[in-house]
Amino acid sequence: MPAVNTTTTLGVPYFVLVCFTDIHSWQHWLSIPLALLFLAAIVSNLTIMSVIQREHTLHEPMYYFLSLLAVFDLGLCTTTTPKILGIMWFDMKVIDLPSCFLQMYLMNLLLAMESATFLFMAYDRYIAICNPLRYHSVITARFVAKAIVFILLRSTLLTLPALVFAARLQYCSKNVVENCFCTSAAVTSLACNDRTFNTLYQLIVAYGLLGSDLILIVMSYCLILRVLRMFQGKGAAAKAFSTCTAHLILISFFYSVLLVLIFTAKFAKVIPHDVPVLLNVLHFLVPPVLNPIVYGVRTTEIKQGIINMMRNGITAPKVQ
C-alpha cells in the first residue's frame, strides 16, 4: 500500500511505516543480516536461560538477573524485528492504531526494565566486592524477588501514562510514521492537537528513569574502584574486577547507543534520514545478541554450563 496520508472525519484508520527511503532499493539485502541477528538473539538468549535453569551452580542472584535480562532482550527483538522484516520482504507497511500503540508501549516498557536490571546487577557487584562478608545476607532470594517486583511495577506504572496520553491525542490527517516501528516521538509528532504535555512527560520519564539508573550505576562502580585501590595485591584486585567486566561492557553499549540516538535526533535535519532509523533498528537487535555472548565468553561458569549442556544433549533434565 502506498505511503500516503489518509484523512477521515474520524481520524486516520491506520499508520504507514516508512522504514528506509534512501536505501529502499537494496533493503532486501539489508534484511539478511538483520534476520541473522534476530535468529542469533533468539538462540543465544534461550541458550543462556536454559543453561542457568539446568546448572544448579548458576542458581545465584547475579545469574537470575542475567536470565531476567535475557527475557527482556527476547521481548525487545520480537516486538520490533518481525514487523521490520515484514516491511522489507512483503511491503507490510500498514499497522493499525492499537497495534502501533501496543508496540510503542512494549518498547518503552522493556527498555525501562532493562535499565533497572542493569542497576540491580551493579548493586550486586557493589555488595560482592565492597561488602563481601554481607553478600549472602543482603543479596538473597527474597532480595531478588523484591527487585523483580520493583522492576516490573516501576517500569509499568511510569511508562503506562505515556501510552494513555499518546492514544488520547487526535490523529486526523498525517499517518506516515518515518521509522521502521512505532516510536513515541515519531507517532505523537503526527497528532493534530497540542502534544506539549505528552512530549514533556515522555522526556521526564525517559531522562528520569534511564538517567537516574545510569547515575547510580556510575556511583556504584566508582565505589567499587575505590575499594579495589585498597587491595594489597594487583592480582587480587584484577580478579575481583574481572567479575564486573562483562557487566560493564553491556552497560557501556546500552547507554552509549541511547546517547547516540539522542544525538542523532537533535541533529536530524543535517543527518540523512536513514541513519537514525538504522541506529534505532540496531539498538533493538544488537544488544540482545551481544548480552548473552559477552556473558558467555567472560563468565567461566556459563561457558562450562554451555559445554555441559552440549555434551549431555539439549534434552530437559530428568526430574528426580
Side-chain angles (χ1 to χ4, degrees):
M1 184 169 293
V4 295
N5 291 340
T6 301
T7 305
T8 70
T9 56
L10 298 177
V12 297
Y14 53 79
F15 291 124
V16 179
L17 298 172
V18 179
C19 209
F20 299 106
T21 55
D22 299 333
I23 61 174
H24 179 77
S25 59
W26 55 277
Q27 69 177 12
H28 289 86
W29 295 106
L30 178 61
S31 69
I32 296 175
L34 294 182
L36 292 175
L37 283 173
F38 181 47
L39 180 62
I42 293 175
V43 172
S44 58
N45 281 285
L46 288 177
T47 300
I48 286 291
M49 292 166 62
S50 178
V51 168
I52 294 174
Q53 187 272 329
R54 291 166 61 96
E55 295 292 325
H56 294 289
T57 56
L58 299 179
H59 291 180
E60 297 180 3
M62 189 64 178
Y63 300 112
Y64 291 146
F65 286 127
L66 182 56
S67 293
L68 194 63
L69 188 65
V71 172
F72 297 151
D73 280 338
L74 284 173
L76 277 173
C77 62
T78 54
T79 297
T80 57
T81 310
K83 183 61 178 179
I84 296 171
L85 295 178
I87 294 172
M88 291 182 168
W89 290 344
F90 309 110
D91 205 32
M92 298 170 58
K93 297 180 179 180
V94 172
I95 183 170
D96 60 80
L97 270 64
S99 298
C100 184
F101 291 130
L102 177 61
Q103 186 186 57
M104 177 200 307
Y105 175 64
L106 289 177
M107 288 190 296
N108 294 338
L109 177 68
L110 290 167
L111 283 175
M113 287 179 174
E114 280 216 1
S115 179
T117 304
F118 281 128
L119 174 61
F120 279 104
M121 293 170 80
Y123 181 72
D124 175 275
R125 291 300 86 197
Y126 164 75
I127 296 296
I129 293 176
C130 299
N131 295 283
L133 298 179
R134 297 184 58 219
Y135 179 80
H136 291 291
S137 62
V138 174
I139 310 297
T140 61
R142 185 180 180 85
F143 171 83
V144 174
K146 289 182 177 179
I148 293 173
V149 171
F150 172 82
I151 291 170
L152 296 177
L153 285 179
R154 187 193 75 160
S155 303
T156 301
L157 294 177
L158 290 180
T159 57
L160 185 59
L163 168 67
V164 175
F165 297 149
R168 288 170 64 88
L169 293 173
Q170 297 178 9
Y171 302 90
C172 51
S173 57
K174 300 177 182 178
N175 74 330
V176 177
V177 179
E178 296 184 352
N179 211 318
C180 294
F181 35 73
C182 295
T183 63
S184 298
V187 172
T188 56
S189 66
L190 303 178
C192 52
N193 55 338
D194 184 46
R195 59 181 186 275
T196 303
F197 182 77
N198 180 275
T199 302
L200 183 62
Y201 183 82
Q202 290 178 15
L203 289 174
I204 291 174
V205 171
Y207 286 102
L209 281 179
L210 303 182
S212 61
D213 288 347
L214 179 58
I215 290 172
L216 291 173
I217 289 170
V218 171
M219 289 175 60
S220 297
Y221 275 100
C222 287
L223 293 172
I224 288 173
L225 290 174
R226 188 181 70 174
V227 169
L228 290 178
R229 289 181 60 186
M230 295 186 292
F231 277 38
Q232 294 184 353
K234 290 185 177 180
K239 184 177 179 180
F241 191 72
S242 67
T243 64
C244 304
T245 52
H247 185 226
L248 278 174
I249 292 171
L250 302 187
I251 288 173
S252 300
F253 190 82
F254 179 80
Y255 287 102
S256 62
V257 171
L258 286 177
L259 291 175
V260 169
L261 290 175
I262 294 172
F263 178 81
T264 53
K266 287 186 176 295
F267 295 93
K269 293 182 179 180
V270 297
I271 296 176
H273 167 266
D274 289 349
V275 173
V277 172
L278 182 59
L279 286 174
N280 266 272
V281 171
L282 293 178
H283 177 55
F284 289 98
L285 262 179
V286 176
V289 175
L290 284 183
N291 290 350
I293 292 176
V294 169
Y295 259 98
V297 171
R298 300 291 306 183
T299 309
T300 304
E301 292 81 2
I302 291 181
K303 281 193 293 186
Q304 187 59 48
I306 294 174
I307 293 172
N308 293 339
M309 189 173 70
M310 294 176 64
R311 183 180 300 161
N312 299 329
I314 312 298
T315 57
K318 295 181 180 180
V319 179
Q320 299 294 328

